[in-house]
Amino acid sequence: MRSEGKFYDDKNFPRGFNRSGVFTISEASVLENYGRIMRALHEGTTQPIDESETQFLAEVLGQQAAVSEFGKCWLKYLNHTTHKTRSYTLCVSQRPNTGVYGDDDDADSGSDSDLDY
């Protein structure tokens, strides 16, 4: 696989691939060093020039199972950047207004007249 310079994805991985917690050290290295050509091959803007690039393209297009390090790594990258999952929460955080430090003006006034000593 040829390299066309360093590949960065500041939109999805602003701290870099190695610090994302998603990729292993070797996967981050593959993405950084070969990501530009992998993206170009996947998008169809570049044609494969050797067997490894042809195999990579077949793997990411689903024509064969991903067995190469390049194919597995790019599919993992695509999975984390294109398949956004929504997360939902089951609880709502609303505090009841108890008057202790709620909307009472007396709590902010600094007056100690209401305190029992």
Short mmCIF file of all heavy atoms in Angstrom, two decimals, residues 11-50:
data_model
loop_
_atom_site.label_atom_id
_atom_site.label_comp_id
_atom_site.label_asym_id
_atom_site.label_seq_id
_atom_site.Cartn_x
_atom_site.Cartn_y
_atom_site.Cartn_z
N LYS A 11 -12.10 16.33 12.83
CA LYS A 11 -13.53 16.44 13.14
C LYS A 11 -13.97 15.31 14.08
O LYS A 11 -14.64 15.56 15.08
CB LYS A 11 -14.35 16.38 11.86
CG LYS A 11 -15.84 16.44 12.09
CD LYS A 11 -16.61 16.30 10.80
CE LYS A 11 -18.10 16.19 11.09
NZ LYS A 11 -18.84 15.77 9.92
N ASN A 12 -13.60 14.10 13.78
CA ASN A 12 -14.04 12.95 14.57
C ASN A 12 -13.04 12.55 15.65
O ASN A 12 -13.43 11.97 16.67
CB ASN A 12 -14.29 11.74 13.66
CG ASN A 12 -15.43 12.00 12.71
OD1 ASN A 12 -16.54 12.29 13.13
ND2 ASN A 12 -15.15 11.93 11.41
N PHE A 13 -11.76 12.83 15.44
CA PHE A 13 -10.72 12.46 16.39
C PHE A 13 -9.79 13.65 16.60
O PHE A 13 -8.66 13.66 16.12
CB PHE A 13 -9.93 11.24 15.88
CG PHE A 13 -10.79 10.03 15.65
CD1 PHE A 13 -11.24 9.71 14.38
CD2 PHE A 13 -11.17 9.23 16.72
CE1 PHE A 13 -12.05 8.61 14.17
CE2 PHE A 13 -11.98 8.13 16.52
CZ PHE A 13 -12.42 7.81 15.25
N PRO A 14 -10.27 14.68 17.29
CA PRO A 14 -9.49 15.91 17.42
C PRO A 14 -8.18 15.74 18.18
O PRO A 14 -7.25 16.51 17.99
CB PRO A 14 -10.43 16.87 18.16
CG PRO A 14 -11.43 16.00 18.83
CD PRO A 14 -11.56 14.77 17.98
N ARG A 15 -8.08 14.74 19.01
CA ARG A 15 -6.84 14.51 19.77
C ARG A 15 -5.95 13.49 19.08
O ARG A 15 -4.93 13.09 19.63
CB ARG A 15 -7.18 14.05 21.17
CG ARG A 15 -7.93 15.11 21.96
CD ARG A 15 -8.22 14.69 23.34
NE ARG A 15 -7.02 14.10 23.94
CZ ARG A 15 -6.90 13.77 25.18
NH1 ARG A 15 -7.90 13.95 26.00
NH2 ARG A 15 -5.81 13.23 25.65
N GLY A 16 -6.32 13.03 17.92
CA GLY A 16 -5.53 12.06 17.18
C GLY A 16 -6.07 10.65 17.36
O GLY A 16 -6.86 10.37 18.25
N PHE A 17 -5.64 9.77 16.48
CA PHE A 17 -6.12 8.39 16.52
C PHE A 17 -5.58 7.64 17.74
O PHE A 17 -6.29 6.86 18.36
CB PHE A 17 -5.72 7.64 15.24
CG PHE A 17 -6.30 8.23 13.99
CD1 PHE A 17 -5.48 8.73 13.00
CD2 PHE A 17 -7.66 8.29 13.80
CE1 PHE A 17 -6.02 9.27 11.84
CE2 PHE A 17 -8.21 8.83 12.66
CZ PHE A 17 -7.38 9.33 11.67
N ASN A 18 -4.30 7.90 18.12
CA ASN A 18 -3.74 7.15 19.25
C ASN A 18 -4.37 7.53 20.57
O ASN A 18 -4.42 6.73 21.47
CB ASN A 18 -2.23 7.31 19.43
CG ASN A 18 -1.50 8.05 18.41
OD1 ASN A 18 -2.03 8.50 17.43
ND2 ASN A 18 -0.22 8.21 18.63
N ARG A 19 -4.85 8.74 20.73
CA ARG A 19 -5.43 9.18 21.99
C ARG A 19 -6.94 9.03 22.05
O ARG A 19 -7.57 9.41 23.03
CB ARG A 19 -5.07 10.63 22.26
CG ARG A 19 -3.60 10.82 22.52
CD ARG A 19 -3.34 12.22 22.90
NE ARG A 19 -1.95 12.38 23.32
CZ ARG A 19 -1.46 13.48 23.81
NH1 ARG A 19 -2.25 14.52 23.96
NH2 ARG A 19 -0.20 13.54 24.16
N SER A 20 -7.52 8.49 21.00
CA SER A 20 -8.98 8.39 20.95
C SER A 20 -9.53 7.29 21.83
O SER A 20 -10.69 7.34 22.23
CB SER A 20 -9.43 8.14 19.51
OG SER A 20 -9.04 6.85 19.09
N GLY A 21 -8.73 6.27 22.12
CA GLY A 21 -9.22 5.14 22.89
C GLY A 21 -9.97 4.13 22.03
O GLY A 21 -10.47 3.14 22.53
N VAL A 22 -10.05 4.38 20.74
CA VAL A 22 -10.77 3.50 19.82
C VAL A 22 -9.81 2.53 19.14
O VAL A 22 -10.13 1.35 18.98
CB VAL A 22 -11.52 4.35 18.76
CG1 VAL A 22 -12.17 3.46 17.71
CG2 VAL A 22 -12.55 5.24 19.42
N PHE A 23 -8.65 3.01 18.75
CA PHE A 23 -7.72 2.23 17.94
C PHE A 23 -6.51 1.79 18.76
O PHE A 23 -6.09 2.48 19.68
CB PHE A 23 -7.24 3.05 16.75
CG PHE A 23 -8.35 3.56 15.88
CD1 PHE A 23 -8.78 4.87 15.97
CD2 PHE A 23 -8.99 2.72 15.00
CE1 PHE A 23 -9.82 5.34 15.19
CE2 PHE A 23 -10.03 3.17 14.21
CZ PHE A 23 -10.44 4.49 14.31
N THR A 24 -5.97 0.63 18.38
CA THR A 24 -4.71 0.19 18.98
C THR A 24 -3.58 1.06 18.42
O THR A 24 -3.79 1.83 17.47
CB THR A 24 -4.44 -1.29 18.65
OG1 THR A 24 -4.25 -1.42 17.23
CG2 THR A 24 -5.57 -2.19 19.12
N ILE A 25 -2.40 0.90 18.97
CA ILE A 25 -1.25 1.68 18.50
C ILE A 25 -0.95 1.38 17.04
O ILE A 25 -0.71 2.29 16.24
CB ILE A 25 -0.03 1.41 19.39
CG1 ILE A 25 -0.29 1.93 20.80
CG2 ILE A 25 1.23 2.05 18.81
CD1 ILE A 25 0.75 1.52 21.82
N SER A 26 -1.00 0.10 16.66
CA SER A 26 -0.70 -0.25 15.26
C SER A 26 -1.81 0.24 14.33
O SER A 26 -1.52 0.68 13.22
CB SER A 26 -0.49 -1.75 15.12
OG SER A 26 -1.66 -2.46 15.45
N GLU A 27 -3.07 0.16 14.75
CA GLU A 27 -4.17 0.67 13.92
C GLU A 27 -4.06 2.18 13.74
O GLU A 27 -4.27 2.69 12.63
CB GLU A 27 -5.52 0.33 14.54
CG GLU A 27 -5.87 -1.14 14.49
CD GLU A 27 -7.11 -1.48 15.30
OE1 GLU A 27 -7.47 -0.72 16.23
OE2 GLU A 27 -7.72 -2.52 15.02
N ALA A 28 -3.72 2.89 14.80
CA ALA A 28 -3.55 4.34 14.70
C ALA A 28 -2.42 4.68 13.73
O ALA A 28 -2.53 5.63 12.94
CB ALA A 28 -3.28 4.94 16.08
N SER A 29 -1.36 3.90 13.77
CA SER A 29 -0.23 4.12 12.86
C SER A 29 -0.63 3.86 11.41
O SER A 29 -0.26 4.62 10.51
CB SER A 29 0.93 3.21 13.27
OG SER A 29 2.00 3.36 12.38
N VAL A 30 -1.39 2.79 11.18
CA VAL A 30 -1.85 2.48 9.82
C VAL A 30 -2.74 3.61 9.31
O VAL A 30 -2.58 4.07 8.17
CB VAL A 30 -2.60 1.12 9.78
CG1 VAL A 30 -3.37 0.94 8.50
CG2 VAL A 30 -1.62 -0.02 9.98
N LEU A 31 -3.66 4.08 10.13
CA LEU A 31 -4.55 5.16 9.70
C LEU A 31 -3.76 6.43 9.41
O LEU A 31 -4.02 7.11 8.40
CB LEU A 31 -5.60 5.45 10.77
CG LEU A 31 -6.81 4.55 10.80
CD1 LEU A 31 -7.68 4.86 11.99
CD2 LEU A 31 -7.61 4.68 9.51
N GLU A 32 -2.85 6.76 10.27
CA GLU A 32 -2.08 7.99 10.09
C GLU A 32 -1.21 7.93 8.84
O GLU A 32 -1.11 8.90 8.10
CB GLU A 32 -1.22 8.24 11.32
CG GLU A 32 -0.58 9.61 11.33
CD GLU A 32 0.13 9.88 12.64
OE1 GLU A 32 -0.52 9.82 13.69
OE2 GLU A 32 1.35 10.13 12.59
N ASN A 33 -0.60 6.77 8.58
CA ASN A 33 0.33 6.66 7.45
C ASN A 33 -0.33 6.33 6.12
O ASN A 33 0.19 6.71 5.06
CB ASN A 33 1.40 5.62 7.76
CG ASN A 33 2.30 6.07 8.89
OD1 ASN A 33 2.72 7.22 8.94
ND2 ASN A 33 2.58 5.19 9.82
N TYR A 34 -1.44 5.61 6.13
CA TYR A 34 -2.06 5.16 4.88
C TYR A 34 -3.51 5.62 4.72
O TYR A 34 -4.17 5.24 3.78
CB TYR A 34 -2.01 3.62 4.80
CG TYR A 34 -0.61 3.08 4.89
CD1 TYR A 34 -0.14 2.53 6.08
CD2 TYR A 34 0.25 3.14 3.81
CE1 TYR A 34 1.16 2.04 6.18
CE2 TYR A 34 1.54 2.66 3.89
CZ TYR A 34 1.99 2.11 5.08
OH TYR A 34 3.27 1.64 5.17
N GLY A 35 -3.99 6.42 5.63
CA GLY A 35 -5.39 6.85 5.61
C GLY A 35 -5.79 7.63 4.37
O GLY A 35 -6.90 7.49 3.87
N ARG A 36 -4.89 8.45 3.88
CA ARG A 36 -5.23 9.24 2.68
C ARG A 36 -5.49 8.35 1.48
O ARG A 36 -6.45 8.55 0.75
CB ARG A 36 -4.11 10.22 2.37
CG ARG A 36 -4.08 11.41 3.26
CD ARG A 36 -3.05 12.40 2.78
NE ARG A 36 -3.16 13.61 3.58
CZ ARG A 36 -2.57 14.73 3.25
NH1 ARG A 36 -1.83 14.80 2.17
NH2 ARG A 36 -2.71 15.79 4.02
N ILE A 37 -4.64 7.37 1.25
CA ILE A 37 -4.83 6.49 0.10
C ILE A 37 -6.02 5.56 0.32
O ILE A 37 -6.77 5.27 -0.61
CB ILE A 37 -3.54 5.71 -0.27
CG1 ILE A 37 -3.70 5.00 -1.62
CG2 ILE A 37 -3.19 4.71 0.80
CD1 ILE A 37 -3.86 5.92 -2.78
N MET A 38 -6.23 5.12 1.56
CA MET A 38 -7.38 4.27 1.84
C MET A 38 -8.68 5.03 1.59
O MET A 38 -9.62 4.49 1.01
CB MET A 38 -7.32 3.73 3.28
CG MET A 38 -6.21 2.72 3.49
SD MET A 38 -6.28 1.81 5.05
CE MET A 38 -5.98 3.07 6.25
N ARG A 39 -8.73 6.30 2.00
CA ARG A 39 -9.93 7.12 1.75
C ARG A 39 -10.13 7.33 0.26
O ARG A 39 -11.25 7.20 -0.26
CB ARG A 39 -9.82 8.46 2.47
CG ARG A 39 -11.05 9.34 2.23
CD ARG A 39 -10.98 10.66 2.93
NE ARG A 39 -9.77 11.36 2.53
CZ ARG A 39 -9.31 12.43 3.15
NH1 ARG A 39 -9.91 12.90 4.21
NH2 ARG A 39 -8.22 13.02 2.72
N ALA A 40 -9.05 7.63 -0.47
CA ALA A 40 -9.15 7.86 -1.91
C ALA A 40 -9.61 6.60 -2.64
O ALA A 40 -10.44 6.68 -3.56
CB ALA A 40 -7.81 8.34 -2.46
N LEU A 41 -9.09 5.44 -2.25
CA LEU A 41 -9.53 4.19 -2.87
C LEU A 41 -11.00 3.91 -2.55
O LEU A 41 -11.77 3.52 -3.43
CB LEU A 41 -8.66 3.03 -2.38
CG LEU A 41 -7.23 2.98 -2.93
CD1 LEU A 41 -6.39 1.98 -2.14
CD2 LEU A 41 -7.23 2.64 -4.40
N HIS A 42 -11.39 4.12 -1.31
CA HIS A 42 -12.77 3.85 -0.91
C HIS A 42 -13.75 4.78 -1.61
O HIS A 42 -14.83 4.37 -2.02
CB HIS A 42 -12.90 3.98 0.62
CG HIS A 42 -14.25 3.68 1.13
ND1 HIS A 42 -15.05 4.63 1.71
CD2 HIS A 42 -14.96 2.53 1.14
CE1 HIS A 42 -16.19 4.07 2.06
NE2 HIS A 42 -16.17 2.80 1.72
N GLU A 43 -13.37 6.05 -1.77
CA GLU A 43 -14.25 7.02 -2.43
C GLU A 43 -14.22 6.89 -3.95
O GLU A 43 -15.06 7.47 -4.64
CB GLU A 43 -13.85 8.44 -2.03
CG GLU A 43 -14.14 8.75 -0.58
CD GLU A 43 -13.61 10.11 -0.14
OE1 GLU A 43 -12.83 10.74 -0.91
OE2 GLU A 43 -13.98 10.54 0.96
N GLY A 44 -13.25 6.17 -4.48
CA GLY A 44 -13.16 5.99 -5.92
C GLY A 44 -12.41 7.08 -6.65
O GLY A 44 -12.42 7.12 -7.88
N THR A 45 -11.73 7.96 -5.94
CA THR A 45 -10.98 9.04 -6.60
C THR A 45 -9.60 8.58 -7.05
O THR A 45 -8.94 9.27 -7.82
CB THR A 45 -10.82 10.25 -5.65
OG1 THR A 45 -10.18 9.84 -4.45
CG2 THR A 45 -12.18 10.86 -5.33
N THR A 46 -9.16 7.41 -6.59
CA THR A 46 -7.89 6.82 -6.99
C THR A 46 -8.12 5.35 -7.32
O THR A 46 -8.91 4.69 -6.66
CB THR A 46 -6.85 6.93 -5.84
OG1 THR A 46 -6.66 8.31 -5.54
CG2 THR A 46 -5.53 6.31 -6.21
N GLN A 47 -7.42 4.87 -8.32
CA GLN A 47 -7.52 3.47 -8.71
C GLN A 47 -6.39 2.66 -8.06
O GLN A 47 -5.29 3.17 -7.90
CB GLN A 47 -7.44 3.33 -10.24
CG GLN A 47 -8.60 4.00 -10.96
CD GLN A 47 -9.94 3.43 -10.54
OE1 GLN A 47 -10.10 2.21 -10.44
NE2 GLN A 47 -10.90 4.30 -10.28
N PRO A 48 -6.66 1.40 -7.71
CA PRO A 48 -5.60 0.57 -7.12
C PRO A 48 -4.50 0.30 -8.13
O PRO A 48 -4.77 0.11 -9.32
CB PRO A 48 -6.33 -0.71 -6.73
CG PRO A 48 -7.63 -0.70 -7.44
CD PRO A 48 -7.94 0.70 -7.79
N ILE A 49 -3.25 0.28 -7.62
CA ILE A 49 -2.12 0.04 -8.53
C ILE A 49 -1.42 -1.28 -8.25
O ILE A 49 -0.57 -1.69 -9.04
CB ILE A 49 -1.09 1.19 -8.46
CG1 ILE A 49 -0.53 1.34 -7.04
CG2 ILE A 49 -1.68 2.49 -8.96
CD1 ILE A 49 0.67 2.25 -6.94
N ASP A 50 -1.74 -1.94 -7.14
CA ASP A 50 -1.12 -3.24 -6.86
C ASP A 50 -2.12 -4.16 -6.19
O ASP A 50 -3.28 -3.79 -5.95
CB ASP A 50 0.17 -3.08 -6.04
CG ASP A 50 -0.07 -2.47 -4.66
OD1 ASP A 50 -1.23 -2.29 -4.25
OD2 ASP A 50 0.93 -2.18 -3.97
#
